[in-house]
Amino acid sequence: MIIEMNNIRKHFDGLEVLKDISFGVDSGEVVSIIGPSGSGKSTLLRCATFLETIDGGEILYMGEKAAHTDAEGRAVYVHHQQLQHFRSYCGLVFQQFNLFPHYNVLKNLTDAPIHNQHRSKDEAEATAMELLAKMGIADKAKAYPYQLSGGQQQRVAIARALAMKPEILFFDEPTSALDPELTGEVLKVIRQLAEEKMTMVVVTHEMPFAKAVSNRVLFMAGGVIVEQGDPREVFENPKEERTKQFLRVFDR
Amino acid sequence: MTLSTMLSTMSAGMLRTTGIFALTLLGSLPLGMIVALLRKSRFAIVRGFIRVYISVIRGTPLMLQLLVWYFGPYYLFNLPIRGWRFPSLILGFVVNYAAYFAEIYRGGIESIPVGQYEAATVLGYSKGKTFMRIILPQVIKRIMPSVTNEVITLVKDTSLAFTLAYQEVFSLAKQISASQTSFMPFLIAGVFYFIANYVVAFIMEQIEKALNYYR
């Protein structure tokens, strides 16, 4: 298991967003998370990547505990320094890209590896150029984010996350901020990563993509995992009424 | 008094004006950043103190503040006033301008989207590195127009040093005008201030242009 989240609970201002969720991802697995908005999908990713702290439950990366629940039922995280080590296991691609506008594309990819992972400049730049080539935007290395289209920016963001050499990559609705004609180029890149056995968790509203690319689909609603399994099973033969209801909206 | 003696006396005054200007910026630009950061301190006492400091500074005239800095130690603690004129002047200006710069910095810091912090956190930047490498460079670009405004105001505010009888260009203009019954010193002072601000505006514009490589 790359990541294991057990009995995760999380609330915001009294509202339970995650209700005792357990979920794990094996190496090389591609998991899609679908569900209506407000179902807790994004919060789950944000807890997995340590942007939010859980209220209860435990988070393990590579079998090591990053957070657990103490005797009083409160979540306890490892020490600050160790948390940085856990952060290096995971990458996150945001809906809004969140590239650094004052750095050019190459520096967006190399700054963190050089300054936070203490890699050499040469190594970091070589890795970055390789990744940009893979994303089909090697010619944009010296461009600034504002000079790129949304699809190109998102591909840079994916490359930036990969430049940290994470064990697992999380995507938070990576195509939701893009024009329909630009979604294809981003999905193509994710599909390519899936073929290379990159471990990924993708929160998405692109049902055909989820069906075609993932090994497993999770349907979340109301802060719980309602149903999960083989994508063909979940999409063509959903067992739960809530899942059927949700998928019907997409069939229209 | 010939025009050339007038000019040379007032040039010496302009040099002192420039001194106040430069030392004030040197002190208040960094101090303002410290104040802006302390305003978000996790200690309520620190936050409260900074809030009171900023509201007092903004709520009272700089001229009055200068008088307090100069005479305060003498009247309150019986400290010697000799040699205190210039230090108190700079202290008064730095403490005043730091408050205004702090508010400009705060506005700039708060205008950076939260996604920048999140991206930095996920990429392993520590809090300090996030601020220095990701947030601050973007803040500087965003606040340049407001900073330019404040710096131009400072050039003109240096004339308030006349309240402490410091011989900068405005004090001299008043004195020479009175003793020579001439209007000329005021014109000269006006031209000096205008040129100084022209230079300031030009330099700030160059900096803004240099930061225009991204949006």
Side-chain angles (χ1 to χ4, degrees), chain B residues 11-211:
Chain B
S11 298
M14 193 61 202
L15 206 64
R16 289 191 204 104
T17 294
T18 314
I20 302 171
F21 173 79
L23 287 174
T24 301
L25 280 189
L26 213 64
S28 62
L29 283 172
L31 182 62
M33 184 53 77
I34 295 169
V35 172
L37 294 177
L38 286 180
R39 207 179 188 280
K40 299 181 127 199
S41 159
R42 57 201 159 105
F43 303 108
I45 299 172
V46 177
R47 287 198 306 271
F49 175 79
I50 295 294
R51 200 167 301 191
V52 170
Y53 154 62
I54 290 175
S55 74
V56 168
I57 292 293
R58 292 207 297 188
T60 59
L62 175 52
M63 195 187 280
L64 182 69
Q65 291 167 23
L66 291 175
L67 289 169
V68 168
W69 283 111
Y70 183 53
F71 291 112
Y74 171 73
Y75 283 121
L76 295 174
F77 310 109
N78 227 350
L79 290 168
I81 204 161
R82 206 197 248 182
W84 177 236
R85 191 190 312 274
F86 188 66
S88 70
L89 187 65
I90 297 303
L91 200 60
F93 270 106
V94 167
V95 168
N96 181 277
Y97 270 78
Y100 285 97
F101 283 131
E103 285 298 280
I104 294 177
Y105 293 149
R106 183 175 68 96
I109 292 170
E110 284 174 1
S111 76
I112 304 296
V114 65
Q116 292 289 303
Y117 290 92
E118 293 181 349
T121 306
V122 171
L123 289 166
Y125 289 89
S126 64
K127 272 199 167 153
K129 274 184 190 165
T130 299
F131 186 73
M132 295 307 287
R133 301 193 63 81
I134 309 300
I135 306 302
L136 188 58
Q138 297 184 56
V139 168
I140 290 172
K141 181 186 165 80
R142 286 182 189 214
I143 63 174
M144 277 314 284
S146 320
V147 170
T148 303
N149 258 335
E150 209 55 41
V151 173
I152 284 173
T153 304
L154 173 60
V155 171
K156 292 174 286 185
D157 272 358
T158 54
S159 62
L160 290 172
F162 96 95
T163 22
L164 303 191
Y166 182 70
Q167 302 280 69
E168 44 67 62
V169 76
F170 183 72
S171 297
L172 287 170
K174 269 187 65 173
Q175 286 164 25
I176 298 170
S177 171
S179 67
Q180 304 291 313
T181 53
S182 163
F183 184 62
M184 203 52 182
F186 291 136
L187 282 183
I188 296 172
V191 170
F192 278 0
Y193 282 119
F194 185 80
I195 293 173
N197 268 330
Y198 195 84
V199 172
V200 166
F202 177 78
I203 293 173
M204 298 305 273
E205 202 187 316
Q206 296 311 304
I207 299 177
E208 275 187 52
K209 269 189 196 156
L211 290 174

